[in-house]
Amino acid sequence: MFIHFAFLAGLGLTAIPIIIHILQKNRVKEMEWAAMKFLLEIVEEQNKKIQLEDLLLLILRVLMFIFLVLGIARPIMSISSAGLLDSNGQIVILMDDSYSMSTREGLETRFDNAKKRAIKLLENQPKGYGVSIVRFNQYSTTLTGGFSVDHELLKQTVTKMKPGFLKGNIENGLDYAIRLFTKDEGKKVIFLISDFQEKDWASAGADLTNRIKELNGKIEFTFIPVTDSIKENVAVESVTSTQSAVKLGEKATIIGVLRNYGKEVAKDQNVDFLVNGSLVESSIASIPPGQTAKIIFSYVPEESGDQRIEVKLRHDKVEPDNSSFFTLKVVDQLRVLGVLDESSIGLKFHEITMADMALNPFPLASKDERALYKFEYIGISSLASVKLSDYDFVLIANVRDITGIDAKPLEDYVKQGGGVIMFLGPNVKLETYNNNLYKDGEGLWSFPLSEQVAESEKDKALEFNGENKEHPIWQFILSEGRNYLTPFKVFKSFTFDVKENTKAIVLGTVKSDKMNIAKPCLVDFSYGAGHVIVYGSSSNMKWGRFPIHPSFVAFMHQSFKYLKSFSSSSSNLSIYAEYKKKVGLEESQASYQLIAPSGSAYTLSVLGENDIYELKIDSSKLSEHGFYKLVNLDDKTKESFLSINLDVSEGDISCMQNGAIESSFKPLGVNVDLSGGELSVALNNIDPITELAFIFLILAFICWVAENLLGYRITKRS
Amino acid sequence: MKVLTKYLNKQAIAAIAKMDMEPRGLVAGSQAGNHKSPFQGFSVEFAGHREYVPGDDIKHIDWNVFYKKDKYFIKQYEAETNLVCQIFLDVSESMRFGSHEKTKLDFAYELAVCLTYLVTKASDKVGCCVFDETILQYIRPSNSLATVYKLNSILEETKATKKTSVEKNLMDFAERLGRREIVILISDFLINPEELKRGLGRLRYDNHEIVLFHMIDPYEKDFPMDGRIKFIGLEGFPELKLQPRQIRKAYLEKFNNHRDKIVEICEKNRVEYVEVDTSKPLAELMFQYMVSRLTHITR
């Protein structure tokens, strides 16, 4: 507000000096001049001078930025390394960040207490001493990239720390801290801040004790416990489904396993079942101490694709293990291509009928609407004209001849990660198979096919033995002490001649009375990124009884599940696992983005070698538990989810008592600080480290002043 | 009406009316005159005797000596000859500059005409060479007063538009001269001093008495201008926009160095150096110069 507002018009008078200035500036007199030579010489000399000054100006500016950057980077010089001090020393603050440190008591977690202790320690250290902060769990890392003298920066780093999702490994952490010391001489101090979980410290046992004893005198240890009396913890140990994939509209069954790591019965635990983040069902469970409880949920998926299944405990003091995640694949159908001799096409009952019925337990088998596996049949002569990549599996049974033309598309299909199951039988002509599938060890098969074997006595079965019982195909048949193959009869079978080859796994052998040694009749051949499972006998009743044996259903399901696993690694992974997925040529051109549960995004690219393209995610990127979203940036409808789960063995959170810690470690020469981080550890003779930042900043300032003075001089003259 | 003597400055003539252009040393004219010659002969001033040799004219035998010595001696006299003055006048484009009433060229013309008048008035001979890049005109030495009018007329028609070439023209000019003449150089000498050094050396070889009139405009000497000035170069130099105040010191240093170098060259070659301030009257210059000739020791 102005009393005489109109007088503000007088501000227009400011234009007068401006106009005079401009007019004066533009007024140039002209004059003929005889002694021009002198003027030109002066101008030339001044130009040279200006060039020199410009160069000087440039050098000053460059130096100014160099010094400024060096100053900000805060270089340090150890006085001992400069030969000014005989003794030296370094401090490591080792912080346990396993997920048991997330245990909450009141408003604060064990990790919050650990951070407070670490900050107090940093405040107690005299300035100029190098300190390194190391976090340890299964893996250990330094947060400071070595030793730093900037205690403020270290405090800020500690403040920002959060507990991890891994289990602890105290030996690993100590080893890492010891390796971090870069100097042979001088004092070395390790402050260890942990919840002293009984499980970890008890298992470390004698090895740890010996290690500390061994280092006694060389390294000074101070243990700072952040213990409490909490012992009760229930974890969601796992979430799985009985089905490898669920058909759209069919019921999916989900099993959640809860484990009580506490010492008392965990009563009335509220458990939620969530699908794609929405609560579907809740349940209540009571679990005895040290026991597990299975909770079964079921639901009918209404959309295809990856479904995010989560089982979550509502109230528990240890948050990370309160959830477990699972990605359920919901598909409309899985396509299976059945390949037969032309003469068998159109028959009501042929070599693949039993396999179809085993996989689709309905009266009409794959023709039933509820069938997950959709079978289509072609004659062997049409194999070369079919686009195999459209099919999830290829099943070939009792085909007479496999020509080179037939073998080529099969090779390409398997090479890209496809799965083939082959049943042989009476029609099979050995020569064509060996010529086109074995190809002297270069083909799909790593072993050549040998003659049929049979017992001389009619109706006498061959002796069949399952091999490599830990193979996934035998999971429900032979593993864990089961043997459901005993009454299983094979009367006739082709066998394979064993060759030195790591690409083949023998899954079953047969032996007749006349044979000295058993020969393989069931083999898993790997080729490129895929596998071929070959059974030397028939898939119908002609040469054996396997198709009507109950284990045949499990064999077929497991075989398909096993073969499918090579086109993509499971989307249900443990934390820090590596993920690999085979992709086709078209998908390999696309860009991918991985979005972590916290929202961090990573761009991924596909790597290709020998026409095999693989989308790979480093384990370091899968460092959070929860669902990761994988998006094809070229076609965003193609998104999938990876579920990452914790190793819940960390769930046993009970801590050692302070008295036990003192009695265990004090005799080893370890300082135990029970005072809440106030312990003043002798830091005599620790290497003072000189910070050079101030010198560089002063140099930068001098350059700035010189640059300004020179600039002023140049401006004035020009 | 055409003025016959546009460049004959009356004040200057009046100032030196009673003075003559006396050479500082011996001169070798082609006619008998009022000035001492390096040669001996039979004239008015007695020089000495020498023994008679056959072939000498017997009328020069000093009989008084014969009576005393009983030998024949010839009487000898100092020869007296006329003075030949040569004016070497620069009419290059740089001479066109003038910050006051008269340009350097105007002043140089008046000086040349005045000197011509002064020499011819004493019945001595005067010649004049007008040059820029080349010798434009050469007036052969003459003791006629008409030379003044002739020179005046030539100068009126001369246009100062080209560069100066002192060395080449001096070499050329020297070929046209005899020996022991008075050579007067009139120029602003905005040239490489080395050129002048070589030219003067050539003239000194013929034992000429050399006088160098250095035409300097006060602006050239003091560089007093202010504000922003676009300097338009003469003799083919480019234009330059400058603020003179900012380079005054450097300019004066260069100009003074140049002048000092010319003075030094003159001293080494026994050349009389006369600095001419073109802002002052010619009469003042002529008077001071003629007085200085009278008072200075003869070389």
Side-chain angles (χ1 to χ4, degrees):
Chain A
M1 297 296 285
F2 296 92
I3 296 169
H4 300 293
F5 186 78
F7 278 8
L8 287 181
L11 288 174
L13 293 173
T14 51
I16 295 169
I18 295 169
I19 291 166
I20 291 170
H21 177 80
I22 292 167
L23 289 175
Q24 196 69 23
K25 201 177 173 186
N26 292 333
R27 221 177 70 189
V28 178
K29 282 186 270 183
E30 286 194 358
M31 178 186 271
E32 282 194 330
W33 188 253
M36 205 67 185
K37 189 180 125 196
F38 303 133
L39 298 185
L40 286 169
E41 280 176 9
I42 290 165
V43 169
E44 195 178 332
E45 279 168 14
Q46 286 197 343
N47 281 344
K48 277 183 188 167
K49 213 172 181 180
I50 285 168
Q51 278 177 358
L52 194 72
E53 281 170 343
D54 277 351
L55 185 68
L56 194 62
L57 206 61
L58 176 73
I59 291 168
L60 281 172
R61 284 174 181 162
V62 169
L63 281 175
M64 184 180 78
F65 281 109
I66 289 172
F67 289 139
L68 193 66
V69 169
L70 286 174
I72 291 168
R74 309 184 74 166
I76 52 168
M77 184 182 74
S78 161
I79 289 177
S80 59
S81 65
L84 301 174
L85 202 68
D86 293 335
S87 57
N88 49 41
Q90 291 167 329
I91 303 167
V92 176
I93 298 178
L94 192 56
M95 292 182 73
D96 180 355
D97 83 333
S98 60
Y99 85 73
S100 64
M101 292 290 282
S102 304
T103 306
R104 191 175 291 278
E105 186 178 32
L107 292 173
E108 291 189 333
T109 62
R110 292 176 183 173
F111 200 73
D112 292 334
N113 283 330
K115 285 192 327 189
K116 280 183 187 171
R117 305 280 170 93
I119 287 168
K120 266 188 184 177
L121 271 176
L122 286 167
E123 282 168 352
N124 286 347
Q125 305 314 318
K127 286 196 187 307
Y129 287 35
V131 180
S132 181
I133 307 285
V134 174
R135 62 190 303 165
F136 78 92
N137 41 51
Q138 270 174 280
Y139 312 101
S140 305
T141 47
T142 170
L143 301 180
T144 47
F147 291 90
S148 171
V149 292
D150 189 343
H151 293 184
E152 278 307 312
L153 185 70
L154 291 169
K155 274 157 69 179
Q156 284 173 25
T157 309
V158 169
T159 310
K160 287 176 190 166
M161 282 175 78
K162 286 178 183 170
F165 300 116
L166 292 168
K167 60 181 183 179
N169 186 332
I170 179 61
E171 284 168 316
N172 181 305
L174 273 177
D175 275 347
Y176 185 88
I178 291 160
R179 281 201 307 274
L180 209 60
F181 291 118
T182 51
K183 294 174 182 175
D184 294 333
E185 293 178 359
K187 193 157 190 165
K188 303 179 184 78
V189 180
I190 292 177
F191 292 103
L192 190 147
I193 308 175
S194 171
D195 59 357
F196 287 81
Q197 240 179 310
E198 274 178 349
K199 173 182 73 72
D200 287 344
W201 289 87
S203 65
D207 286 346
L208 182 66
T209 310
N210 291 336
R211 194 79 207 278
I212 293 171
K213 266 185 192 167
E214 190 186 310
L215 293 166
N216 196 9
K218 293 176 188 166
I219 295 175
E220 190 176 299
F221 288 97
T222 302
F223 287 178
I224 304 173
V226 283
T227 56
D228 52 40
S229 57
I230 301 171
K231 290 187 172 67
E232 302 308 313
N233 176 34
V234 179
V236 182
E237 196 172 65
S238 66
V239 183
T240 51
S241 168
T242 50
Q243 300 125 298
S244 59
V246 175
K247 182 173 165 56
L248 185 66
E250 293 297 313
K251 193 171 83 174
T253 306
I254 307 296
I255 304 165
V257 180
L258 309 181
R259 181 177 286 276
N260 181 2
Y261 286 101
K263 310 293 179 199
E264 293 169 12
V265 178
K267 287 179 185 169
D268 302 333
Q269 297 292 315
N270 287 300
V271 189
D272 293 336
F273 172 62
L274 296 93
V275 177
N276 296 335
S278 304
L279 182 67
V280 174
E281 197 181 334
S282 288
S283 182
I284 293 176
S286 291
I287 312 152
Q291 301 291 308
T292 58
K294 283 185 182 176
I295 302 178
I296 296 172
F297 300 99
S298 60
Y299 88 112
V300 178
E302 290 169 356
E303 54 184 318
S304 58
D306 286 350
Q307 304 294 304
R308 285 165 288 151
I309 309 292
E310 182 181 355
V311 171
K312 192 176 179 184
L313 268 167
R314 243 182 253 174
H315 308 292
D316 192 66
K317 289 185 175 177
V318 187
E319 206 172 294
D321 63 10
N322 285 348
S323 289
S324 197
F325 312 92
F326 177 64
T327 308
L328 180 68
K329 290 199 182 301
V330 177
V331 291
D332 188 18
Q333 276 184 323
L334 295 171
R335 295 179 72 187
V336 184
L337 181 69
V339 184
L340 300 158
D341 269 336
E342 261 71 18
S343 56
S344 302
I345 300 289
L347 293 178
K348 196 172 178 185
F349 192 87
H350 51 65
E351 282 83 354
I352 299 179
T353 309
M354 298 296 279
D356 185 354
M357 289 171 73
L359 291 165
N360 298 305
F362 308 108
L364 295 172
S366 67
K367 287 174 186 163
D368 194 288
E369 279 185 0
R370 293 167 290 174
L372 176 62
Y373 297 94
K374 174 73 179 168
F375 277 72
E376 292 169 36
Y377 300 102
I378 59 163
I380 183 69
S381 57
S382 309
L383 186 63
S385 59
V386 173
K387 193 181 172 190
L388 294 181
S389 59
D390 290 344
Y391 294 90
D392 295 288
F393 309 101
V394 176
L395 208 155
I396 303 170
N398 198 22
V399 169
R400 182 185 167 83
D401 296 308
I402 300 269
T403 64
I405 297 166
D406 303 328
K408 183 73 179 69
L410 275 177
E411 281 177 8
D412 293 342
Y413 176 66
V414 178
K415 200 176 189 180
Q416 298 291 339
V420 176
I421 297 179
M422 297 181 78
F423 289 100
L424 306 183
N427 294 348
V428 168
K429 284 192 77 177
L430 182 142
E431 293 78 16
T432 60
Y433 274 67
N434 274 345
N435 290 343
N436 299 309
L437 293 177
Y438 173 59
K439 293 203 290 194
D440 291 326
E442 300 294 319
L444 276 176
W445 290 0
S446 309
F447 296 161
L449 195 62
S450 183
E451 287 299 330
Q452 305 163 18
V453 292
E455 290 292 357
S456 50
E457 287 176 44
K458 201 182 176 187
D459 296 334
K460 187 176 180 189
L462 295 163
E463 186 185 329
F464 179 89
N465 278 306
E467 304 288 340
N468 288 309
K469 292 174 184 173
E470 67 285 355
H471 194 280
I473 284 176
W474 296 134
Q475 190 181 354
F476 298 112
I477 303 166
L478 291 177
S479 61
E480 294 178 13
R482 299 187 189 102
N483 188 355
Y484 296 125
L485 286 175
T486 318
F488 165 28
K489 288 182 178 174
V490 184
F491 298 111
K492 198 180 258 186
S493 176
F494 280 101
T495 56
F496 289 94
D497 289 334
V498 177
K499 301 279 179 190
E500 285 265 334
N501 203 306
T502 54
K503 289 182 179 176
I505 302 167
V506 176
L507 299 173
T509 56
V510 284
K511 184 174 176 291
S512 70
D513 291 344
K514 295 173 193 167
M515 293 163 70
N516 294 326
I517 51 163
K519 289 184 81 178
C521 71
L522 180 61
V523 187
D524 167 19
F525 295 115
S526 71
Y527 183 79
H531 281 242
V532 183
I533 293 171
V534 187
Y535 178 51
S537 191
S538 64
S539 58
N540 54 19
M541 304 291 284
K542 285 180 183 168
W543 281 6
R545 299 287 176 264
F546 186 33
I548 57 164
H549 193 274
S551 64
F552 185 66
V553 175
F555 172 79
M556 287 307 294
H557 275 282
Q558 286 304 111
S559 296
F560 276 19
K561 195 173 173 182
Y562 171 67
L563 292 174
K564 189 69 184 164
S565 69
F566 294 103
S567 57
S568 68
S569 67
S570 170
S571 54
N572 302 311
L573 303 163
S574 296
I575 197 160
Y576 280 105
E578 191 180 70
Y579 176 81
K580 286 178 184 174
K581 183 189 175 188
K582 300 279 184 316
V583 294
L585 181 63
E586 196 181 323
E587 284 179 296
S588 71
Q589 314 288 328
S591 300
Y592 293 87
Q593 192 182 38
L594 181 73
I595 302 165
S598 62
S600 314
Y602 309 97
T603 305
L604 307 172
S605 53
V606 175
L607 302 172
E609 195 179 344
N610 298 330
D611 298 335
I612 297 169
Y613 300 98
E614 195 172 70
L615 179 67
K616 188 175 165 186
I617 303 172
D618 291 339
S619 57
S620 61
K621 291 192 176 77
L622 302 176
S623 58
E624 297 172 36
H625 71 145
F627 291 105
Y628 278 73
K629 189 175 177 181
L630 184 61
V631 187
N632 181 331
L633 292 175
D634 292 358
D635 181 1
K636 291 192 176 173
T637 57
K638 288 184 182 173
E639 63 175 34
S640 56
F641 290 90
L642 313 177
S643 59
I644 310 293
N645 282 301
L646 301 181
D647 178 348
V648 291
S649 62
E650 180 73 8
D652 188 357
I653 57 165
S654 54
C655 306
M656 288 172 77
Q657 296 300 307
N658 286 344
I661 296 169
E662 275 185 315
S663 61
S664 302
F665 299 113
K666 270 201 168 173
L668 304 175
V670 174
N671 300 310
V672 178
D673 175 18
L674 301 172
S675 63
E678 300 286 1
L679 179 73
S680 175
V681 174
L683 290 169
N684 303 329
N685 301 327
I686 286 186
D687 182 13
I689 293 173
T690 308
E691 194 166 357
L692 303 175
F694 187 63
I695 296 167
F696 283 114
L697 289 174
I698 285 180
L699 286 171
F701 178 73
I702 291 168
C703 286
W704 178 75
V705 170
E707 184 252 338
N708 273 283
L709 288 174
L710 190 60
Y712 173 73
R713 203 184 131 168
I714 291 169
T715 313
K716 195 181 165 192
R717 197 183 49 235
S718 63
Chain B
M1 190 179 73
K2 191 181 175 186
V3 180
L4 285 175
T5 53
K6 180 184 171 187
Y7 294 114
L8 188 61
N9 187 310
K10 293 175 188 66
Q11 288 82 15
I13 296 296
I16 56 167
K18 293 184 179 174
M19 296 178 182
D20 285 329
M21 186 75 167
E22 281 296 327
R24 292 183 190 274
L26 302 173
V27 289
S30 57
Q31 296 170 348
N34 300 323
H35 312 294
K36 283 187 179 178
S37 165
F39 308 112
Q40 288 180 338
F42 309 95
S43 186
V44 182
E45 291 284 324
F46 174 73
H49 289 94
R50 73 168 167 81
E51 211 165 336
Y52 172 79
V53 289
D56 284 340
D57 193 342
I58 56 169
K59 73 178 179 182
H60 295 302
I61 294 173
D62 190 341
W63 297 109
N64 291 329
V65 177
F66 174 73
Y67 292 130
K68 288 178 186 171
K69 300 278 184 179
D70 200 20
K71 278 185 182 175
Y72 296 112
F73 281 90
I74 299 292
K75 279 178 86 174
Q76 287 195 312
Y77 302 89
E78 280 186 349
E80 286 192 334
T81 187
N82 63 334
L83 175 148
V84 179
C85 179
Q86 300 275 9
I87 298 171
F88 190 65
L89 176 61
D90 177 9
V91 293
S92 65
E93 196 179 8
S94 64
M95 291 286 282
R96 225 170 60 196
F97 174 70
S99 61
H100 289 72
E101 192 185 341
K102 286 176 187 169
T103 64
K104 289 190 280 186
L105 196 66
D106 292 337
F107 202 98
Y109 283 177
E110 286 187 359
L111 177 60
V113 170
C114 187
L115 287 169
T116 308
Y117 174 80
L118 187 67
V119 176
T120 52
K121 185 179 69 109
S123 301
D124 288 323
K125 285 185 174 180
V126 64
C128 189
C129 176
V130 179
F131 75 97
D132 49 26
E133 276 182 327
T134 55
I135 293 174
L136 299 174
Q137 290 284 345
Y138 178 59
I139 303 169
R140 297 178 70 78
S142 166
N143 54 5
S144 165
L145 205 59
T147 310
V148 178
Y149 300 109
K150 195 175 173 185
L151 177 62
N152 189 80
S153 157
I154 287 169
L155 296 180
E156 277 191 51
E157 286 167 13
T158 304
K159 298 251 185 306
T161 55
K162 294 187 177 169
K163 293 183 182 176
T164 321
S165 179
V166 169
E167 184 186 0
K168 179 173 142 291
N169 289 327
L170 270 181
M171 295 290 186
D172 195 5
F173 181 56
E175 298 299 318
R176 301 176 191 217
L177 307 182
R179 286 175 61 79
R180 291 182 182 273
E181 295 179 352
I182 296 178
V183 178
I184 297 171
L185 308 180
I186 305 171
S187 173
D188 56 4
F189 296 104
L190 292 172
I191 52 165
N192 183 350
E194 290 302 312
E195 276 186 49
L196 180 66
K197 188 178 172 184
R198 289 192 287 270
L200 291 178
R202 172 68 184 85
L203 289 176
R204 283 302 302 172
Y205 179 76
D206 287 334
N207 288 322
H208 297 301
E209 180 193 336
I210 306 168
V211 183
L212 189 146
F213 284 95
H214 190 177
M215 315 301 293
I216 299 175
D217 187 276
Y219 268 40
E220 287 177 337
K221 192 178 170 185
D222 301 329
F223 210 59
M225 299 82 88
D226 213 343
R228 289 166 63 80
I229 296 182
K230 183 158 101 178
F231 291 97
I232 299 165
L234 298 171
E235 297 194 20
F237 283 108
E239 292 179 357
L240 268 182
K241 255 188 211 173
L242 293 168
Q243 285 187 289
R245 199 199 300 175
Q246 290 176 352
I247 57 163
R248 180 176 295 140
K249 195 178 162 193
Y251 170 85
L252 291 178
E253 195 181 325
K254 285 212 168 281
F255 184 82
N256 290 335
N257 280 345
H258 178 76
R259 189 182 54 188
D260 293 348
K261 201 149 195 179
I262 287 173
V263 171
E264 189 189 332
I265 289 167
C266 288
E267 281 176 358
K268 280 186 180 167
N269 287 284
R270 289 191 292 167
V271 172
E272 188 179 2
Y273 175 84
V274 183
E275 185 180 309
V276 180
D277 185 340
T278 59
S279 64
K280 289 183 178 168
L282 177 64
E284 188 184 323
L285 168 79
M286 288 306 294
F287 183 77
Q288 282 176 357
Y289 174 65
M290 293 309 289
V291 168
S292 79
R293 282 188 74 85
L294 292 173
T295 53
H296 274 62
I297 300 162
T298 305
R299 289 173 206 177

